[in-house]
Amino acid sequence: MKFYISARGINRLTISEAGGGGGGGRGAMKGGKGSAAAGGGTRRIYRRRVLLPVVLALGLLLPFLFVRTAFVVLESASFCSSSLDCMGWRIFGGNDPALLREELTRALLETSSTDGQIGIREIEDPTLLPASFKDLVKDVTSNKQDIKTFAFKTKAMMAKMEQMVQSARRHEYINWHLASHGIPKSLQCLSLILAEEYAVNAMARSRLPSPEFVSRLTDPSFHHVVLLTDNVLAASVVISSAVNSSTHPEKFVFHVVTDKKTYTAMHAWFAMNSINSAVVEVKGLHQYDWSHKVNVAIKEMLEIHHLIWKNKYDSLKEEVFEYQQELEKNLEVLSPSFVSLLNHLRIYIPELFPDLDKIVFLDDDIVVQHDLSSLWELDLNGKVVGAVVDSWCGRDCCPRRKYNDFFNFTNPMISAKLDSDRCAWLYGMNIFDLQAWRKTNITATYHQWLKLNLNHGFTLWHPGALPPALLAFEGHMQRIDPSWHMAGLGHRVTQVNKYMLETAAVIHFSGPAKPWLEIGAPEVRSFWYRHVNFSNGFIKRCGTTG
């Protein structure tokens, strides 16, 4: 049988079939409307204007089907376990983005379920997961894995990477806190060369204050400021900033109390760098002649604070912190300053200065920006201590400073005594009425609470000087305006209101990042370094830089 198709258009189709007759048994297709050639049993089938559309359609469709089939086979290798499983729905519209999106959504929802967590462990050991997205694509395509497996592996990879990021953040924050415990080489150098100067230079050993100003040390008409510190440069910044901010610096008398090892360096600094108009007294703890009772009480106080700190340290070694804020709070209480004698000795200020009636206490990590003279004129309404309670964000607004941040309210003794949502007052810039203090039993109450904490396994509060002070001064504190004291600049500062920084009378670098450490934020450290005399010969020799 032979087919003849005219290239000029098909009006007629002739099928010729070989027979036993003459003419060689051939059939021929002829144009026109005439009858077929004689001989041989020839049949003609006419299909007018019918086969042309069919042939054209097949000519267009068959190449498309061939290309599409090849594409689907290649594409299905990435998402289907078998190309035949995906072939049908992908050829006939299954490649619609909506259908693909639906399939992917179904797989992702499944990975989000509890069973999905099990699925991750079933698929692969987390240590063998692809290390990058490129490796993931290579793994999925080479192993011809389906969308579900792809979703499980993607989730497992994200979970693993999130754990790595959280671990890195924890280690970075721990290292940051460890750095805050160190003493810069420049500060160590300054103490050493000043101690040497005290030994060889008579001027460094000269009397402080000079004889003509000794009477001011107990004169109630002057403004008496107390510092308890072993940091020479920090004490210098506090005093110089207070003097430079005062309209009447000659009215100020500064009482610096330090430990025995720092005494010679501290004395030499202020003996050789006199403060304009103001009077400075430097006294070492070894120079106090306290009664046996006071010495025993101080020793007992320090031992209990050491035990509180050690108990907290031992408990933290067994804990794993999920959130950075929780880790930060617990690392902060492990600072060595929390067991420093000078840090806790403020509860004995009346014994340190028995001849003074009213003093302003300043921490060594503060900067004075405005005149403090009016603090001595504040009416404390018969209370012992004046302190800032509210932060700049408003009344009863005190981030990170609620009682709940300091005390263990699961203990009934604490929950019955205190309100967990109450704001704690700020330590570091306080006005004390020592006359009123001596009429109370505040110091005795302080020791009572220390013994109660000892008897309760050191679980009543976190380490630090403030928690027992909050208990001892309960009912003896007077609020003062928040503009007097802006604290918290020693924490990780993400954004600081410049107006608040400049208008606060005292800015306080409370927290791990002290201004003399490089881990502090440069934008706030500059407020401290502007009061460092970089032209001083000792500071130059030690390479102190801002």
Side-chain angles (χ1 to χ4, degrees):
M1 180 184 295
K2 294 182 179 180
F3 290 84
Y4 296 91
I5 300 174
S6 172
R8 293 176 298 176
I10 302 176
N11 289 330
R12 182 175 59 196
L13 178 66
T14 302
I15 302 176
S16 300
E17 189 174 73
R26 292 190 175 197
M29 179 185 292
K30 296 183 179 180
K33 298 182 180 180
S35 59
T42 303
R43 284 187 312 169
R44 295 179 178 176
I45 302 174
Y46 296 91
R47 297 290 185 269
R48 297 179 180 277
R49 295 181 175 84
V50 173
L51 291 181
L52 178 60
V54 175
V55 173
L56 291 175
L58 289 174
L60 294 173
L61 183 60
L62 288 176
F64 170 76
L65 288 177
F66 174 77
V67 174
R68 182 61 184 146
T69 301
F71 176 77
V72 168
V73 170
L74 293 174
E75 187 183 37
S76 63
S78 301
F79 296 99
C80 301
S81 57
S82 171
S83 59
L84 293 177
D85 294 340
C86 298
M87 186 77 71
W89 68 270
R90 284 188 176 265
I91 291 177
F92 299 104
N95 194 44
D96 189 336
L99 293 177
L100 182 60
R101 186 165 52 248
E102 181 182 347
E103 182 75 10
L104 183 58
T105 301
R106 189 183 303 113
L108 292 175
L109 289 175
E110 186 173 350
T111 62
S112 301
S113 65
T114 305
D115 294 337
Q117 292 289 344
I118 299 173
I120 291 175
R121 294 193 294 269
E122 289 176 346
I123 285 178
E124 201 162 359
D125 183 348
T127 60
L128 302 178
L129 286 171
S132 65
F133 183 75
K134 183 178 180 180
D135 293 338
L136 173 64
V137 173
K138 182 179 179 181
D139 182 33
V140 171
T141 54
S142 61
N143 295 325
K144 297 183 179 181
Q145 295 169 346
D146 57 14
I147 293 180
K148 180 179 177 181
T149 305
F150 172 79
F152 275 129
K153 286 198 171 185
T154 302
K155 181 177 180 179
M157 284 181 63
M158 292 180 66
K160 180 181 177 182
M161 290 179 180
E162 185 176 349
Q163 290 175 358
M164 292 172 63
V165 169
Q166 291 296 332
S167 176
R169 285 178 176 173
R170 282 194 295 270
H171 282 88
E172 187 270 342
Y173 205 80
I174 290 172
N175 292 334
W176 187 80
H177 269 270
L178 289 176
S180 73
H181 299 169
I183 301 174
K185 181 180 177 180
S186 58
L187 293 186
Q188 293 178 337
C189 168
L190 186 62
S191 291
L192 289 174
I193 63 173
L194 285 171
E196 181 183 7
E197 196 70 19
Y198 183 89
V200 301
N201 189 341
M203 183 179 178
R205 298 190 301 271
S206 60
R207 186 173 178 179
L208 279 178
S210 55
E212 63 267 27
F213 297 124
V214 170
S215 61
R216 295 188 184 183
L217 296 179
T218 56
D219 191 335
S221 64
F222 285 86
H223 301 323
H224 296 271
V225 180
V226 171
L227 285 86
L228 307 176
T229 179
D230 59 357
N231 189 324
V232 176
L233 189 60
S236 170
V237 168
V238 173
I239 294 176
S240 62
S241 65
V243 169
N244 294 336
S245 302
S246 175
T247 54
H248 298 286
E250 69 280 357
K251 293 286 291 181
F252 280 81
V253 178
F254 295 92
H255 305 267
V256 181
V257 179
T258 190
D259 55 21
K260 186 176 182 178
K261 70 177 178 61
T262 314
Y263 170 75
T264 55
M266 190 77 72
H267 186 104
W269 175 267
F270 287 105
M272 301 181 69
N273 297 278
S274 60
I275 303 297
N276 183 33
S277 303
V279 170
V280 178
E281 175 195 28
V282 176
K283 200 166 183 179
L285 291 177
H286 60 288
Q287 295 174 322
Y288 282 92
D289 187 20
W290 284 329
S291 66
H292 177 72
K293 180 180 179 181
V294 172
N295 280 321
V296 169
I298 291 176
K299 182 180 179 182
E300 180 185 65
M301 173 189 71
L302 195 59
E303 287 177 349
I304 293 178
H305 278 297
H306 269 280
L307 291 172
I308 295 171
W309 185 91
K310 185 178 184 303
N311 179 76
K312 185 67 175 180
Y313 174 77
D314 291 340
S315 66
L316 291 180
K317 288 193 296 185
E318 307 299 327
E319 294 186 25
V320 177
F321 301 103
E322 184 176 355
Y323 301 104
Q324 180 171 325
Q325 185 175 2
E326 185 182 6
L327 175 65
E328 176 184 355
K329 183 173 68 175
N330 283 281
L331 285 176
E332 191 173 326
V333 301
L334 297 181
S335 170
S337 65
F338 282 30
V339 290
S340 166
L341 173 59
L342 291 171
N343 192 38
H344 294 289
L345 204 59
R346 62 191 76 185
I347 196 67
Y348 278 93
I349 286 179
E351 285 75 20
L352 289 169
F353 302 100
D355 299 320
L356 298 182
D357 296 333
K358 205 170 191 178
I359 63 102
V360 166
F361 171 78
L362 297 178
D363 263 339
D364 63 1
D365 55 350
I366 67 101
V367 174
V368 179
Q369 300 192 121
H370 300 293
D371 192 6
L372 300 180
S373 299
S374 56
L375 277 173
W376 282 265
E377 301 172 4
L378 290 178
D379 183 6
L380 298 182
N381 295 316
K383 303 297 179 61
V384 173
V385 57
V388 169
V389 177
D390 307 309
S391 294
W392 293 69
C393 50
R395 180 81 174 180
D396 294 325
C397 175
C398 49
R400 304 164 55 96
R401 214 166 24 86
K402 298 283 189 181
Y403 271 42
N404 192 50
D405 296 319
F406 300 99
F407 295 98
N408 176 20
F409 279 87
T410 62
N411 188 293
M413 182 174 294
I414 293 297
S415 58
K417 175 87 174 170
L418 305 172
D419 177 10
S420 63
D421 199 45
R422 183 177 169 187
C423 286
W425 47 271
L426 290 175
Y427 233 162
M429 197 291 299
N430 306 102
I431 176 76
F432 286 103
D433 185 339
L434 300 185
Q435 282 186 321
W437 190 335
R438 295 185 185 101
K439 296 176 183 177
T440 68
N441 59 348
I442 288 174
T443 305
T445 302
Y446 183 93
H447 278 274
Q448 289 172 8
W449 276 106
L450 286 180
K451 291 178 181 178
L452 285 172
N453 198 16
L454 173 65
N455 296 334
H456 283 78
F458 313 107
T459 58
L460 297 186
W461 62 76
H462 299 304
L466 182 58
L470 293 174
L471 291 165
F473 284 95
E474 179 70 19
H476 299 287
M477 187 275 300
Q478 174 67 32
R479 290 174 181 250
I480 62 177
D481 192 276
S483 62
W484 280 111
H485 189 180
M486 180 182 181
L489 297 182
H491 295 284
R492 289 197 163 183
V493 180
T494 55
Q495 186 176 5
V496 179
N497 188 310
K498 189 174 181 181
Y499 172 78
M500 291 164 52
L501 271 177
E502 293 176 347
T503 55
V506 168
I507 56 174
H508 190 180
F509 291 83
S510 54
K514 300 306 180 186
W516 50 85
L517 299 175
E518 292 184 1
I519 62 174
E523 57 270 25
V524 293
R525 290 175 68 205
S526 62
F527 284 81
W528 189 82
Y529 273 104
R530 66 178 59 168
H531 296 285
V532 176
N533 182 11
F534 292 103
S535 63
N536 181 276
F538 297 112
I539 290 179
K540 282 183 177 181
R541 283 175 60 186
C542 291
T544 304
T545 58

